């Protein structure tokens, strides 16, 4: 399937000068949504224990991928949303700065982990999540995205295999 036609550019969102990749047309089409979930799952070739996905757009497919791969689902959330003991990391992304948190008991030492998000842009977000997973002793198998904005060089920040359906 040509997923590109379900992702639209929105100029100057959320800040002037940013070309925002909007995946809501993909989510709104039943066939495209299902095909995208299937493709994202098929990018993983080894058994894994956990899919770690990033609030909020990583959650749309993260849970489905976990189910398809027979793995548990772990949410990484913006500060103040997770109720139990957390580890946290401050990070910068293409258009801002924030804090991400993960539950301290979400990953056991040695568990095999796939990280999923919708977009890899500057890589600040994904790198921060890699750090959280590493701190808990997880073994990162790969980072898996719907699309990579190659011109923002996010790949250079990530030292694990990167897989995606689309590159811009
Ligand atoms: O590679 P980076 O430059 O770090 O940017 C990528 C991140 O930016 C977006 O999330 P955002 O923080 O906008 O939150 P949202 O998913 O809640 O919309 C996107 O979903 C990624 O998580
Ligand atoms: N240009 C962009 N479009 C959508 N999500 C993003 N996250 C960071 N940069 C983005």
């Amino acid at each position: 399937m040509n997923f590109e036609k379900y992702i639209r550019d929105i100029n100057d969102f959320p800040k002037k000068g940013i070309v925002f990749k909007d995946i809501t047309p993909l989510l709104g089409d039943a066939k495209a949504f299902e095909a995208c979930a299937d493709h994202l799952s098929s990018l993983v070739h080894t058994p894994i224990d956990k899919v770690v996905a990033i609030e909020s757009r990583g959650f749309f497919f993260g849970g489905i991928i976990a189910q398809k791969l027979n793995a548990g689902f772990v949410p990484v959330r913006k500060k103040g949303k997770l109720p139990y003991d957390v580890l946290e990391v401050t990070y910068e992304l293409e258009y801002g700065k924030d804090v991400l948190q993960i539950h301290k008991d979400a990953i056991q030492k040695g568990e095999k982990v796939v990280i999923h998000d919708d977009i890899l842009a500057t890589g600040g977000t994904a790198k921060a999540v890699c750090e959280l997973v590493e701190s808990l002793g997880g073994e990162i198998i790969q980072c898996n995205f719907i699309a990579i904005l190659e011109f923002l060089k996010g790949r250079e920040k990530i030292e694990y295999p990167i897989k995606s359906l689309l590159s811009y």
Side-chain angles (χ1 to χ4, degrees):
M1 180 175 278
N2 173 18
F3 293 110
E4 206 166 333
K5 74 174 190 192
Y6 296 99
I7 299 179
R8 64 185 168 195
D9 284 354
I10 308 289
N11 289 325
D12 298 324
F13 181 88
K15 290 183 175 164
K16 200 160 176 47
I18 303 290
V19 181
F20 189 86
K21 296 288 181 195
D22 177 21
I23 63 164
T24 60
L26 175 61
L27 303 176
D29 184 285
K31 290 252 175 320
F33 196 151
E34 186 183 10
C36 186
D38 285 344
H39 277 247
L40 285 167
S41 310
S42 74
L43 298 176
V44 182
H45 299 299
T46 57
I48 57 155
D49 300 299
K50 298 277 165 62
V51 172
V52 174
I54 307 160
E55 179 177 5
S56 57
R57 280 178 272 146
F59 290 177
F60 300 140
F61 289 99
I64 303 172
I65 297 167
Q67 290 265 296
K68 285 179 184 288
L69 297 176
N70 199 23
F73 176 75
V74 175
V76 167
R77 299 206 62 181
K78 310 269 166 80
K79 191 179 176 74
K81 300 287 186 181
L82 287 172
Y84 184 62
D85 296 344
V86 292
L87 279 186
E88 70 178 33
V89 61
T90 301
Y91 69 104
E92 282 183 41
L93 73 158
E94 192 185 4
Y95 40 69
K97 192 175 173 182
D98 214 331
V99 176
L100 285 172
Q101 298 183 328
I102 191 169
H103 273 157
K104 280 185 174 166
D105 65 350
I107 294 167
Q108 308 308 308
K109 280 197 176 52
E111 281 192 319
K112 296 187 189 313
V113 171
V114 166
I115 293 171
H116 166 74
D117 204 353
D118 63 335
I119 304 282
L120 180 70
T122 62
T125 306
K127 180 171 191 287
V129 173
C130 288
E131 287 170 12
L132 289 174
V133 173
E134 286 165 353
S135 299
L136 293 177
E139 183 191 338
I140 300 170
I141 301 299
Q142 71 188 55
C143 300
N144 160 324
F145 303 92
I146 300 172
I148 301 184
L149 308 186
E150 298 285 0
F151 55 94
L152 291 173
K153 310 250 183 268
R155 278 181 192 276
E156 293 174 6
K157 291 207 183 77
I158 310 296
E159 56 189 68
Y160 299 99
I162 292 176
K163 302 267 174 93
S164 79
L165 301 185
L166 297 170
S167 289
Y168 292 94

